[in-house]
Amino acid sequence: MRKAAFYFFAVCVAMMLWGMWSCTDKKAMPLPDVADSTAIDSARQDSLDNEFLTNEPVPEAADELFDDFIFNFAANRKMQMSRISFPLPVKGGRMSSIGRGQWKMEHFFMPQGYYTLIFDSRKAMTAVNDTAVAHAVIEKIFFRDKWVRQYEFNRVGGLWMLQRINNMPIDQNANASFLKFYERFSTDSLFQVESMNSSVEVTAPNPDDDFEMQTGSIMPEQWEAFRPSLIPQGMIYNIIYGQPSVSGNERIFVIRGIANGLETQMTFRRVGDAWKLVKIIT
């Protein structure tokens, strides 16, 4: 009975996870103009600014880790403007650079309350907490329009600076194979079942004890009965810490809450030419 209860709990967790990606608007979303980093109207921009902008002093330690820096960068207008190398070079857009007067406050993933990461190994995940990392890239991945926008940051004189924007077709991205797979996986219910390993390991908190984790499994033949609706939001984020790796047959897709400390990890492995979901950790 205890195993059965955990199995039901684990699948419910998976359902809630995938529900985060649901969206009812299936209209195509054009790639934003590179001169408008938020691609939203003035009223929406003002609303975001009012919600997320702060005048709090930036902690001296904010530049030690990229994550600490980017949350301050996304919330502090004065800091953001001082940490962009204007005119900001742009590659692959309709403009070759962005001037100070053309820039709009970029809040990145702050409004949605979580962000996503794609790692190629467990070892790569340790770079998040490595103070020696001096190069980082935030990617906006536009599934519907098959484009990726990269915001390239470098640490200069001990301070993180946004120094370049790169726009590229999604099929030129280092994660092109996985991104192509994931877009279909998130929308095609039959493909989901086909892409599951023979047994998908699920690790989640014990429903009887929040401080204890339990591990169970989800079988492909059981997935259909519990399958949630999977409609992507059209755009996800990825952060690359240090120099990206373009090899390896594993991808760990992470959904990380900004303020609540919640995190979910989905591990996919490539078997031949196919990616397989092999593990979920919540």
Side-chain angles (χ1 to χ4, degrees):
M1 291 294 291
R2 187 177 181 83
K3 290 183 178 179
F6 171 71
Y7 165 73
F8 179 79
F9 170 76
V11 176
C12 288
V13 169
M15 292 174 64
M16 288 188 291
L17 162 66
W18 287 112
M20 294 171 64
W21 294 83
S22 297
C23 176
T24 56
D25 184 5
K26 297 184 179 180
K27 296 180 180 179
M29 180 181 67
L31 183 69
D33 189 333
V34 294
D36 180 355
S37 61
T38 53
I40 55 178
D41 59 35
S42 297
R44 176 61 175 155
Q45 180 71 51
D46 290 343
S47 176
L48 288 172
D49 289 353
N50 290 335
E51 182 175 359
F52 295 106
L53 283 180
T54 177
N55 293 317
E56 293 295 322
V58 178
E60 292 184 5
D63 284 286
E64 291 185 3
L65 293 175
F66 182 74
D67 279 9
D68 293 338
F69 159 77
I70 201 60
F71 290 125
N72 284 283
F73 181 89
N76 190 308
R77 185 192 300 276
K78 182 178 180 180
M79 178 190 186
Q80 184 165 129
M81 297 303 290
S82 70
R83 297 301 187 89
I84 301 175
S85 297
F86 291 114
L88 183 66
V90 177
K91 180 181 179 181
R94 288 173 291 190
M95 300 178 64
S96 60
S97 65
I98 300 175
R100 180 180 293 272
Q102 297 170 300
W103 183 262
K104 291 188 177 181
M105 184 71 185
E106 176 59 81
H107 297 288
F108 290 115
F109 35 71
M110 297 292 284
Q112 67 186 30
Y114 69 95
Y115 58 104
T116 51
L117 303 161
I118 303 171
F119 298 100
D120 62 6
S121 68
R122 291 280 163 190
K123 182 179 180 181
M125 297 176 72
T126 63
V128 175
N129 297 313
D130 186 354
T131 57
V133 170
H135 175 81
V137 176
I138 293 182
E139 294 185 319
K140 282 186 177 181
I141 301 165
F142 300 87
F143 281 123
R144 294 172 182 167
D145 297 284
K146 313 301 183 187
W147 277 87
V148 177
R149 173 169 299 157
Q150 297 180 326
Y151 297 79
E152 185 176 321
F153 294 83
N154 292 291
R155 189 159 22 199
V156 181
L159 303 178
W160 283 103
M161 299 289 297
L162 173 58
Q163 295 194 308
R164 187 183 184 92
I165 289 179
N166 302 309
N167 294 289
M168 67 180 68
I170 201 169
D171 60 7
Q172 293 181 13
N173 187 264
N175 281 314
S177 172
F178 176 76
L179 293 175
K180 180 179 179 180
F181 157 80
Y182 180 76
E183 181 184 17
R184 183 180 175 189
F185 181 87
S186 64
T187 58
D188 187 331
S189 59
L190 294 178
F191 187 63
Q192 293 161 25
V193 177
E194 294 172 6
S195 301
M196 296 181 70
N197 197 37
S198 58
S199 177
V200 177
E201 181 181 302
V202 178
T203 300
N206 183 344
D208 299 323
D209 184 351
D210 291 338
F211 297 99
E212 179 183 325
M213 302 295 286
Q214 284 191 334
T215 299
S217 62
I218 299 174
M219 312 303 289
E221 60 268 22
Q222 298 167 313
W223 181 259
E224 187 65 23
F226 297 93
R227 179 182 59 83
S229 174
L230 298 177
I231 303 176
Q233 295 175 329
M235 185 269 288
I236 65 171
Y237 287 91
N238 180 38
I239 302 179
I240 303 169
Y241 302 85
Q243 298 302 321
S245 171
V246 295
S247 61
N249 293 317
E250 181 173 270
R251 292 294 183 271
I252 303 169
F253 190 88
V254 179
I255 298 177
R256 182 169 292 169
I258 292 175
N260 56 22
L262 297 178
E263 178 170 311
T264 298
Q265 302 175 12
M266 292 177 289
T267 300
F268 298 85
R269 292 200 182 101
R270 184 157 49 190
V271 180
D273 294 329
W275 287 95
K276 297 289 185 180
L277 173 64
V278 298
K279 183 186 298 185
I280 300 175
I281 302 175
T282 62

